[in-house]
Amino acid sequence: MLQHKKILLGITGSIAAYKAALLARELQRRGAVVRVVMTPSATEFITPLTLATLTGHKVYSDFTENKDSGEWTNHVELGLWGDAFLIAPATAQTLSAMVSGTCDNFLMAVHLSSRCPVIVAPAMDLDMFQHSATQANLQTLQNRGVPIIEPDSGALASGLEGKGRMAEPEAIADWMEDWLQKQAPLNGKKVVITAGPTHEPIDAVRFIGNRSSGKMGFALAQELQSAGADVHLIAGPVQLTAPSGVQVTHVETAVEMHKAAMVAFAQADIGIATAAVADYRAKTVVSNKLHRDEMPPAVELEENPDILADWGKHKKSGQFLVGFALETDQGEDSAKLKLKRKNLDFIVLNSTMDQGAGFGTDTNKISIFEKNGKSHIFELKSKAAVAQDITKLIMTLLPQ
Ligand code: CTP
């Protein structure tokens, strides 16, 4: 969940500030981009240089960098940059300033300017933490929707034992992942995606196949997972690695793909068929290799199941279905027929007539036709960007 997330890390003046370096690293290790703001007192516990080196970004703790030049640091820009503003450690003083809206240092100005969610991980001595003033401040922040990452109990810098130690960096990163998952627009939604080609054997070494790379299906898996969905890919033979956390079932033939897809779709909220399924398979498959003189002049074929049409037949109310149509002409009429025939919510058309669209490329140019007649025409884009467009439309149209 932290992949590509922009986390603004606020560090305030507590001995736990030293752990912020480990926290910054841990967030980055999990894929986040981290920028740091510090209060002036935090810079006495850990140097901005340490955090700038670890994050690869300048660290801010003052409104001005070069007082003579009159330049000032834009707290508004930083406040708008993050997907989340994590203040860790958050001292009793900072919690109180947050409640009153005090703006006496750069970090507090960023706090007042930020539009993203603010999260605090308090750190202080046990008596300070238990003090009714601190508890009231935490309650006020919670009432305003600021999540609090509870401090741990244990040995404190004062020599006392009790609750007040900032949660460990790994635990904070885990908490952030859980929280982001819950915030994600497709949290709790199950998606099944078919992807890649199918290979229909003729003998032990030959098969009927096609040039599908599976890239579009895998890009969608990545995008839907980032949006919080629980994604199950059913992939034919492809040379791709699934995004971590995505469940993958590897299959070879259309019949295998059909079987796995029907089981998965029964539990799914969303079904997306990107696979280039072979419409026909060899009627008889020879178990050994056919030698040149044994080759029949023609291979008798029989029809494969139409997976998407079967999903359409079994679609229950609340389930959402997306199909693809790869056409060699403009293809609009054909795509619209497939939309209807397979009982889809929308169909994504790509045509080999468009340069950069179709099998094997890293780009695609699509048009989308909704079942209510609405259409959307897109420019040529990377498959990752196309996956974003498709995901956005799913999120708009998905029944609540
Ligand atoms: N599809 C499927 N199972 C099949 C054939 C197609 O699930 N046996 C799905 C594809 O994944 C795609 C959509 O149906 O989402 C349209 O596929 P396409 O090959 O364009 O259409 P067909 O229905 O096979 O029709 P035709 O080959 O006549 O164009």
Side-chain angles (χ1 to χ4, degrees):
M1 287 312 297
L2 279 161
Q3 197 69 32
H4 307 307
K5 287 286 182 311
K6 292 180 275 184
I7 307 295
L8 187 58
L9 178 61
I11 307 175
T12 70
S14 149
I15 178 62
Y18 83 92
K19 290 191 196 170
L22 303 171
L23 175 57
R25 264 186 100 119
E26 187 56 25
L27 293 169
Q28 290 179 109
R29 195 183 67 76
R30 299 182 192 210
V33 182
V34 179
R35 287 174 77 177
V36 174
V37 279
M38 300 171 80
T39 58
S41 58
T43 64
E44 293 180 17
F45 288 96
I46 184 164
T47 70
L49 181 61
T50 305
L51 288 142
T53 309
L54 286 175
T55 60
H57 290 284
K58 210 170 176 144
V59 170
Y60 301 94
S61 57
D62 205 347
F63 289 96
T64 52
E65 278 175 50
N66 180 351
K67 290 192 171 60
D68 299 334
S69 73
E71 281 170 38
W72 62 291
T73 306
N74 193 338
H75 54 89
V76 177
E77 183 267 318
L78 269 177
L80 296 179
W81 173 82
D83 294 317
F85 185 16
L86 168 62
I87 305 181
T91 58
Q93 161 63 28
T94 297
L95 298 175
S96 168
M98 286 172 75
V99 167
S100 62
T102 306
C103 187
D104 59 351
N105 63 45
F106 183 72
L107 185 144
M108 294 315 301
V110 174
H111 166 248
L112 290 181
S113 313
S114 60
R115 291 202 190 145
C116 62
V118 180
I119 298 141
V120 292
M124 64 201 76
D125 201 58
L126 84 159
D127 293 311
M128 292 172 81
F129 184 69
Q130 276 167 2
H131 196 283
S132 54
T134 307
Q135 288 302 315
N137 285 337
L138 285 169
Q139 192 56 58
T140 305
L141 290 174
Q142 212 157 22
N143 295 346
R144 289 183 193 165
V146 175
I148 290 148
I149 305 176
E150 286 290 309
D152 289 340
S153 291
L156 298 161
S158 61
L160 297 173
E161 287 261 331
K163 190 167 176 178
R165 280 159 58 131
M166 186 177 83
E168 292 303 316
E170 278 224 3
I172 295 180
D174 286 348
W175 188 98
M176 289 294 290
E177 289 208 290
D178 285 353
W179 177 80
L180 283 164
Q181 176 71 47
K182 285 185 204 124
Q183 306 296 307
L186 292 178
N187 181 42
K189 296 290 178 201
K190 284 193 160 125
V191 184
V192 53
I193 305 173
T194 64
T198 63
H199 286 180
E200 310 299 327
I202 296 170
D203 68 6
V205 295
R206 300 179 180 87
F207 61 83
I208 301 166
N210 61 65
R211 296 183 210 278
S212 167
S213 63
K215 284 180 184 170
M216 195 61 247
F218 277 62
L220 270 165
Q222 168 87 69
E223 191 55 35
L224 286 152
Q225 192 198 33
S226 303
D230 177 359
V231 182
H232 184 174
L233 258 175
I234 299 174
V238 290
Q239 306 294 320
L240 300 171
T241 310
S244 77
V246 165
Q247 185 190 348
V248 193
T249 302
H250 293 283
V251 295
E252 187 90 17
T253 65
V255 169
E256 288 168 8
M257 186 177 274
H258 178 248
K259 194 171 163 204
M262 292 316 291
V263 173
F265 186 62
Q267 312 297 325
D269 300 287
I270 303 163
I272 307 177
T274 69
V277 186
D279 287 323
Y280 289 89
R281 62 177 177 269
K283 195 161 185 184
T284 45
V285 180
V286 178
S287 57
N288 56 313
K289 180 188 163 191
L290 284 168
H291 290 287
R292 180 190 284 256
D293 55 0
E294 296 168 330
M295 263 319 227
V299 178
E300 197 182 343
L301 300 177
E302 65 184 354
E303 209 171 334
N304 268 330
D306 186 327
I307 301 166
L308 182 56
D310 235 6
W311 276 357
K313 263 183 223 144
H314 289 86
K315 186 166 113 178
K316 294 181 291 237
S317 118
Q319 280 186 312
F320 195 86
L321 212 46
V322 177
F324 273 69
L326 176 66
E327 307 291 346
T328 48
D329 54 12
Q330 287 301 347
E332 185 170 331
D333 294 340
S334 170
K336 285 179 175 167
L337 280 175
K338 286 174 193 176
L339 167 76
K340 217 169 177 170
R341 184 158 53 83
K342 302 194 187 200
N343 189 20
L344 310 181
D345 292 279
F346 68 74
I347 192 154
V348 182
L349 166 67
N350 35 189
S351 166
T352 53
M353 281 179 76
D354 292 315
Q355 228 185 0
F359 283 174
T361 59
D362 287 324
T363 52
N364 207 354
K365 176 166 177 10
I366 60 160
S367 306
I368 295 182
F369 304 107
E370 292 182 34
K371 67 175 177 193
N372 64 9
K374 235 176 160 180
S375 51
H376 310 257
I377 318 286
F378 296 87
E379 293 305 309
L380 181 74
K381 297 180 178 189
S382 69
K383 283 189 173 167
V386 170
Q388 283 177 5
D389 291 334
I390 295 171
T391 302
K392 266 191 216 147
L393 190 61
I394 292 174
M395 291 194 297
T396 313
L397 299 176
L398 196 67
Q400 290 311 307

